[in-house]
Structures are given as C-alpha cells and as structure tokens.
Amino acid sequence: MQSRVERKFLKINFVTIVLLFFVILAGGIVRSTGSGMGCPDWPKCFGHYVPPTTIDELTFSEGKFFKKGYIVIWNEALYKAKKDLTAGPTFNHADWEKYTKHDYAKFNVAHTWTEYLNRLAGVILGFAAIATLLFSIPYLKTHRKKVFWLSLFSFLLIGFQGWVGAKVVDSNLKAYMVTIHMLIALIILALYVYLYEYAKDRKIDVSFIAAMKMGSTKVMLIILLVLTALQILLGTQVRELIDEISAALNFQGRDQWVSKVGSAFIIHRELAFAVLAISGWIWFAFRKLKSDNTLKKLVYCNAALVVVQLITGIALAYLSLPPAAQTLHVLVGCLMFGIQFWAVLCFSKIDYMQEAIA
C-alpha cells in the first residue's frame, strides 16, 4: 500500500504524461498546418505576450505607439522597436533594429495563434513538471531517491527543450533542428513514463510466464520500440522533404509531393510493415493468455494503435496529405512509443520479480 504522498506524486506525474501528449498533439497541428513560423520570435510573438490578431498591429503608420521590443513588418522584413516610441511620418531606422535571426516576414493570423497555443501548451506542461518535481521531494527521505533526481533532470530537460524550440524558430524550421526537437520530446516522454512505473508498486501477475517464450517476446518488444522511435524521426525527415518539394512547386500539385520524396519515404513505408509484423507477432503471443494483466493490456493497446497508424499513413500517401491525418499520424506514433516503452518496463519488473522468487 502506497502512502498518500506517493499517490499524489503518481497522480501529478500521470497528468504530466497526459500533458506531454497534448503538447505533441499541438505540435502536430502546428506542423500539419504550416504554422511553425506563425510567431517569428521567441518566447514572445511579434514582440507581444499576447499575439496580434490583425496585420494593422504590425504595420508602421504615423501616430501609432509601439512599445520597446514590438515587431513590425516593413519592406518585407522584420524590425524590432529599440524603445517605446510614437511613429512619425517616416520610418526612422535609428528607432528600429532589423531582426536578423531569419528572413521570414509574413503574418497569417491562423498560423500565429496556432503556434501561440502550442507554446501555451508547453508553458502549462512546464508548470506540471514543476509540480512533479515538488511532489518528488519527499522521496529524498526514502530508498527511492532516484525519483527526485529523475524528476529534476526531466524538468531541466523540458527547459532545454524550450530553448531548442527557440532555435528551431531561429533556424526557420531547419530539418535537423526539427528532428532534434522531436528526439528530445521522446526522451522526455520516456523519462516520465519510467518515473511513473518506478514509483508505482505495481504487482504483475506472473502466472502466465510459463505459457510463453518470455525472452524472445521481450527482445521483439525492444526491437519494436527502437523501430518505432526510428520511424518517428524518419517521418520528421520525410515531412521536411515534403515541405521543400511543396515550396519548389509553389505549393501546386499536392498529389505529387509524396511521390517525389524518394528513398526516405520508401524506407519509412517498408519499416511501417516491419512494425506491423512485429506488433502482430507480440499480440499473437499474448492472445491466448488468460491472465488480464497490465502488460497484456499494453500489448493490445499497441496493436490497435499500429492499425490506426497504418491507416493514417495510407491516407497521407494516397489522399494528398490531409492535415488531420498528419496530426493523428504524429500523435499515434508517439503514443505507440510511450506504450511500448511502458511495456518494456513491465517486462523488466517481471524479470526482477522472478529473481526475487528464485
């Protein structure tokens, strides 16, 4: 029986995991709608804490007041106010500093607010990470001190992820930066899932062990986890290539974009069938087991997610990249990774319980 403090930690940690998926969902919406540069600066948006709703707020005109740090679009470039000022009849370059981190100088209100809400979701996640860290402090007085140190490391990593997010914007969404951003997100997800399972006194029914090949099943599950992570990162690269192709074609001929990606898409597609095959093998290994434990539920959940992932992948390839399918594809991929990692942890607990019994 776990203490009241431990139960509170598990609840807030679980909330943090859920919020992580909301942030991933928000990021998927940003990606699928092309809203990544909706806010060209960071952490503010066009120099505002609450972003503009019309182009007029970013347009230089006589008599308009601008606070220090506010950004305007002038001659297809971004300029930041050096001080509080009221605009005169002409644009005085002495009052403005050209924004040089990138040359993207467009405003789309839908893109701006989509990106802003994505950042807001990240801020809420940050507060949840702080709460998780605070509720982990009592573990310093127990034999599970690792709970606190991992909570601290995870919180710091979220802060680092925010900094990387700023660099992604500064780079104008360079492919390698987007991939690094996604990789860190997967690491953060794995850390919080590990924290939850490590802190929970879960008793797994091991009566089913004799009925299946535990060693080979665990190996296959680890291979599946690695393949899923590679698929997520490769999918990020595929998406970046599609962005380059669409821009080169002036965003025309949407039905041709996927066919022009080349080997990256082919590898991504073939690995998807490998993920399907391994997931099917693991599902079949658990199918006849009478035990209804957490591990079996995770395996079944993963199988369902793989089917959904395959459907969304087919929709992306053959239905001209519908935005809703893009968002769902990213979210389901990350859900698969989280579920598979959780299942690997459960297998590790079974190994520990077997050693304890022996």
Side-chain angles (χ1 to χ4, degrees):
M1 184 69 178
Q2 295 190 283
S3 68
R4 182 168 169 268
V5 171
E6 289 174 328
R7 291 196 300 272
K8 282 187 176 181
F9 171 80
L10 288 169
K11 286 180 181 178
I12 191 63
N13 186 71
F14 186 79
V15 169
T16 303
I17 293 172
V18 172
L19 287 174
L20 268 167
F21 284 114
F22 270 109
V23 172
I24 291 169
L25 173 62
I29 294 172
V30 166
R31 202 74 197 87
S32 64
T33 57
S35 302
M37 293 301 291
C39 293
D41 52 329
W42 193 95
K44 296 182 182 179
C45 188
F46 288 101
H48 297 248
Y49 286 110
V50 178
T53 55
T54 65
I55 188 63
D56 290 342
E57 297 177 61
L58 305 174
T59 304
F60 178 89
S61 61
E62 184 179 0
K64 185 180 291 185
F65 176 75
F66 295 96
K67 292 186 68 174
K68 180 181 178 181
Y70 276 16
I71 289 177
V72 298
I73 300 176
W74 177 259
N75 288 341
E76 298 184 350
L78 299 177
Y79 287 87
K80 182 185 292 187
K82 294 181 180 179
K83 58 183 179 181
D84 292 354
L85 60 93
T86 300
T90 59
F91 189 86
N92 185 354
H93 285 271
D95 294 333
W96 300 86
E97 175 186 2
K98 189 172 183 179
Y99 196 81
T100 57
K101 292 184 177 180
H102 56 75
D103 59 0
Y104 187 90
K106 298 178 182 178
F107 174 73
N108 178 308
V109 64
H111 290 177
T112 293
W113 276 85
T114 300
E115 169 61 12
Y116 175 72
L117 292 174
N118 174 46
R119 295 184 184 184
L120 193 60
V123 171
I124 295 172
L125 173 62
F127 283 118
I130 292 173
T132 301
L133 177 60
L134 292 176
F135 278 99
S136 72
I137 292 175
Y139 281 92
L140 286 172
K141 299 178 180 180
T142 71
H143 67 285
R144 292 181 176 178
K145 294 180 176 62
K146 186 163 65 172
V147 171
F148 170 79
W149 295 113
L150 282 177
S151 297
L152 176 60
F153 178 71
S154 301
F155 167 71
L156 294 175
L157 193 58
I158 286 178
F160 178 70
Q161 176 77 323
W163 178 81
V164 172
K167 295 303 176 184
V168 170
V169 173
D170 290 345
S171 72
N172 198 2
L173 309 180
K174 291 292 184 183
Y176 73 94
M177 289 299 298
V178 174
T179 302
I180 291 172
H181 199 48
M182 176 57 77
L183 176 61
I184 296 172
L186 292 180
I187 294 172
I188 292 171
L189 174 59
L191 281 169
Y192 277 104
V193 171
Y194 177 83
L195 263 173
Y196 183 84
E197 192 60 33
Y198 178 75
K200 189 173 182 65
D201 289 333
R202 187 188 302 280
K203 302 300 181 184
I204 299 177
D205 178 13
V206 297
S207 60
F208 67 93
I209 292 175
M212 64 183 299
K213 297 178 181 178
M214 286 291 296
S216 58
T217 305
K218 183 179 180 180
V219 170
M220 293 297 281
L221 185 57
I222 293 173
I223 293 173
L224 177 63
L225 176 65
V226 173
L227 279 178
T228 299
L230 287 174
Q231 277 289 77
I232 293 170
L233 298 179
L234 184 57
T236 303
Q237 293 293 309
V238 169
R239 175 63 203 184
E240 292 304 318
L241 289 171
I242 288 175
D243 285 349
E244 293 175 8
I245 292 167
S246 62
L249 295 176
N250 198 27
F251 302 99
Q252 302 298 314
R254 190 181 181 94
D255 57 331
Q256 303 174 27
W257 295 353
V258 172
S259 63
K260 294 181 180 296
V261 172
S263 59
F265 171 72
I266 295 173
I267 295 171
H268 189 54
R269 182 188 62 195
E270 299 307 315
L271 285 179
F273 288 112
V275 168
L276 177 64
I278 296 173
S279 295
W281 188 93
I282 296 172
W283 173 83
F284 188 81
F286 276 85
R287 184 174 63 91
K288 294 183 178 180
L289 296 180
K290 296 181 180 180
S291 175
D292 190 28
N293 57 38
T294 300
L295 185 54
K296 184 176 180 180
K297 291 176 181 177
L298 291 173
V299 167
Y300 272 54
C301 184
N302 174 73
L305 289 171
V306 169
V307 172
V308 174
Q309 185 74 332
L310 193 64
I311 292 171
T312 57
I314 292 172
L316 289 172
Y318 298 103
L319 298 178
S320 302
L321 301 166
Q326 293 178 48
T327 302
L328 192 59
H329 200 61
V330 173
L331 177 62
V332 172
C334 292
L335 281 168
M336 285 167 52
F337 176 82
I339 291 293
Q340 291 163 15
F341 184 72
W342 195 353
V344 169
L345 294 178
C346 287
F347 259 110
S348 298
K349 272 195 172 180
I350 291 173
D351 290 342
Y352 176 78
M353 290 171 66
Q354 283 183 299
E355 291 175 4
I357 293 172

